[in-house]
Amino acid sequence: VSDWWESFFDAQYLDLWGPSFTAEQTAAEADGLWRLLGLAPGSRVIDAPCGQGRLTRVLAERGAEVVGIDQSIDLLATAEAARGGLPTSRLRYRRQDLRQPLTETGFDAAFNVFSSLGYGSEADDLAVFRNLRAAVRDGGLVFFDTAHRDLMAAKLARGLTNTDVLPDGTLCVERVKLDPVAGRVESTWHWAGPAGTGKKVGSLRVYTITELVRLLAQAGLELVSLHRGCSTDPFVAEGPMVGGRVGLLTRR
Ligand SMILES: C[S@@+](CC[C@H](N)C(=O)[O-])C[C@H]1O[C@@H](n2cnc3c(N)ncnc32)[C@H](O)[C@@H]1O
């Protein structure tokens, strides 16, 4: 049996979610990562999973040597097609399941962002964390950005579901159910528009920050600081969204 996420990130994903990434948002996230990870031209960085390479490319344009890793054939093809004039010495993409050890090591930093964990079991996440740790040098930084349980509970408490109108008028609505025992959110996205109707389902283990820090420690990654998503701002668990997305900066 293959995992849901192995087929989820396809051309349809790009149609549905692609338009929601603005160049400004991606530039701001890339700038946050640049500062958080202390990057400089020539720094060796892993973006894993890299998806369609939106951050990989921006960091490479800024002078880092970036390797983007993902399992999705469609997203990697999109990333490769958008490389522009960047040489492979600065930007490379590689198709791999991150639960398997990476073949290259000695990187200065690695990052895993935009809720790219919790798709499978905790053992799967632990394997990914260990593999990212093993790929960076001693003292190397590894950064994660994700939603968390308190944020999800705050959204559920307000009955908030994500609804989106795409540029072609397609309406996309997300329905979520929280399994309190498994700590997983089961999501169904329904869409209808000029190109037809359809649905996609996914399942996310949504950790509390406590659980996440514990799992990272188990993988040998020591917490350095918490941030508001991919920004250098500190994470503060307050407000209607209990701080919003969390960024965890860790060190090998
Ligand atoms: C929500 S996307 C985010 C991509 C990218 N980080 C970004 O910010 O746009 C999640 C990605 O994780 C990838 N992914 C999830 N689990 C993976 C695994 N075990 N090995 C490789 N890729 C994985 C999926 O293929 C998908 O492209």
Side-chain angles (χ1 to χ4, degrees):
V1 187
S2 71
D3 293 300
W4 66 268
W5 48 268
E6 290 180 41
S7 55
F8 186 94
F9 295 96
D10 56 4
Q12 187 86 65
Y13 165 82
L14 285 170
D15 286 347
L16 291 171
W17 278 275
S20 63
F21 297 110
T22 64
E24 293 73 34
Q25 180 201 333
T26 295
E29 286 174 11
D31 187 57
L33 290 168
W34 189 271
R35 291 160 193 268
L36 286 161
L37 297 172
L39 303 181
S43 294
R44 294 184 61 219
V45 191
I46 307 175
D47 178 1
C50 63
Q52 64 272 43
R54 58 191 190 93
L55 294 162
T56 335
R57 191 170 51 251
V58 178
L59 295 175
E61 280 164 356
R62 224 166 140 162
E65 290 175 21
V66 199
V67 179
I69 303 173
D70 206 286
Q71 58 85 37
S72 164
I73 294 172
D74 289 333
L75 269 55
L76 285 173
T78 302
E80 193 57 60
R83 80 155 45 242
L86 285 166
T88 51
S89 57
R90 286 263 287 286
L91 177 63
R92 272 180 301 132
Y93 291 108
R94 209 186 134 77
R95 180 163 187 248
Q96 186 190 320
D97 184 336
L98 289 162
R99 294 172 299 180
Q100 305 303 325
L102 277 58
T103 48
E104 289 177 76
T105 55
F107 288 86
D108 298 305
F111 62 92
N112 171 308
V113 301
F114 197 61
S115 301
S116 298
L117 51 89
Y119 295 179
S121 66
E122 286 192 25
D124 288 341
D125 286 331
L126 190 56
V128 174
F129 298 168
R130 287 195 165 125
N131 292 333
L132 292 180
R133 179 192 183 273
V136 298
R137 60 173 166 76
D138 268 336
L141 295 169
V142 186
F143 181 77
F144 301 85
D145 150 70
T146 182
H148 55 94
R149 176 66 176 267
D150 297 341
L151 167 59
M152 204 51 76
K155 282 189 173 181
L156 286 169
R158 287 168 184 77
L160 295 180
T161 50
N162 295 321
T163 52
D164 231 344
V165 182
L166 306 182
D168 72 349
T170 297
L171 178 67
C172 183
V173 180
E174 179 185 11
R175 283 287 152 88
V176 294
K177 253 202 297 210
L178 175 71
D179 177 337
V181 175
R184 297 190 77 90
V185 164
E186 312 294 337
S187 284
T188 308
W189 291 268
H190 300 270
W191 70 85
T197 64
K199 73 171 183 180
K200 251 178 164 0
V201 288
S203 165
L204 269 193
R205 171 75 174 91
V206 186
Y207 297 101
T208 64
I209 296 175
T210 312
E211 290 170 330
L212 204 45
V213 170
R214 204 174 281 156
L215 206 57
L216 289 165
Q218 226 177 306
L221 290 167
E222 178 202 343
L223 183 68
V224 176
S225 47
L226 293 184
H227 298 272
R228 192 172 52 76
C230 291
S231 80
T232 53
D233 298 346
F235 176 85
V236 185
E238 65 181 19
M241 290 302 144
V242 204
R245 299 178 63 81
V246 66
L248 301 102
L249 185 64
T250 69
R251 192 192 318 265
R252 169 176 168 162

